[in-house]
Amino acid sequence: MAQQLLMPKATAVWLVDNTSLSFEQIADFCTLHPLEVKAIADGESATGIKGLDPVMNGQLAREEIEKGEKDPNYRIKIATPKVRVPEAKRKAPRYTPVSKRQDRPNAILWLVRNHPELKDAQISRLVGTTKNTIQQIRERTHWNSATLQPMDPVTLGLCSQIDLDLEVEKASRGIIRPEEIAEEERLLSASQTQNWHRQEPAAPAEDGELDAAAVFAKLTSMRRTETDEDGDERG
C-alpha cells in the first residue's frame, strides 16, 4: 500500500510559506491542483489552516526539499516511514465451500428446531447464511421446504462444535429450559427438607438410656404421694 501524506492542504500551506518549491512541485507532492496551490499562495484559499511541517512528522526529508529547490523539474517524494503499522484486517463473513452450500438450509432447519433460543444473527454466523433465508425456513416458505431434512451443522462441517456451544451458551443466559424446570420440581427445596425432618417421629430411646422427662415426672409423683401420706398421719 502506497504511503499517504497526512493533511495534504496543511502541508501545502507550510511548503508555500517555508520553501521555494514551484506550485507544480507542491501540487504533485500534496496531490492538489497547481491552481489550488497558487490560491493558497495568494491567500485566497486555506486561510484558516495552520501549516503542517512534513519534515517534523517524518514524511519529507530536508534533502528532498533542497533537491526540488535546485531543480524545478524534480518531483519530491514522500519519505519511507520508519515504523510500519500493520493494516487492520476486516473480519470477513464466514466462507462456505460451494460443495457444502446446498447443505446450509438443512443445517438451518436443525438449528431452528434444536436450538430455538438462537437468534438469526447467531445462526448466520454459524453457517454463513442470510437472515432472509433463516426467516423463510422458520416460516416454511423456503422454495425447498418440502425436501429439507434437519442435519447437524457440525457433522456437515459448516461450523465447529466449539463455535456452536459458544453461541448456544450466549443465547441461553437467563433462559430456563423446560427440562431444567422439571428437574427443579423433582428436587425438594431447603425449607421442604427442613419441614420433612421436623415431621419425622422421634426415635425411641435405646435400652439402658434414661428418659429425663420420665424421671422427673416419677419423682414429682413420689413427692406428692409422700406429702399425702404425711397429711393422713397428722390427721
Side-chain angles (χ1 to χ4, degrees), residues 16 20 43 54 67 80 83 91 106 127 146 162 166 173 177 191 217:
V16 167
S20 58
K67 288 181 182 179
T80 303
V83 179
K91 189 174 181 180
N106 295 327
V127 299
I162 295 176
L166 182 61
R173 288 176 184 170
R177 296 175 178 273
S191 60

Side-chain angles (χ1 to χ4, degrees), residues 20-91:
S20 58
L21 294 171
S22 65
F23 295 158
E24 288 77 10
Q25 288 174 310
I26 296 175
D28 181 75
F29 181 72
C30 298
T31 61
L32 300 174
H33 194 277
L35 293 178
E36 190 172 1
V37 178
K38 183 178 183 302
I40 292 174
D42 295 338
E44 298 174 358
S45 176
T47 53
I49 297 178
K50 183 180 179 180
L52 178 65
D53 186 351
V55 179
M56 289 294 294
N57 61 26
Q59 291 202 299
L60 181 62
R62 178 65 64 178
E63 291 77 10
E64 282 292 300
I65 296 177
E66 293 175 355
K67 288 181 182 179
E69 289 175 334
K70 293 177 181 177
D71 183 5
N73 296 322
Y74 181 77
R75 294 294 179 258
I76 57 178
K77 301 179 181 61
I78 190 169
T80 303
K82 296 180 181 179
V83 179
R84 292 188 178 274
V85 180
E87 296 182 31
K89 294 183 179 179
R90 296 182 179 178
K91 189 174 181 180

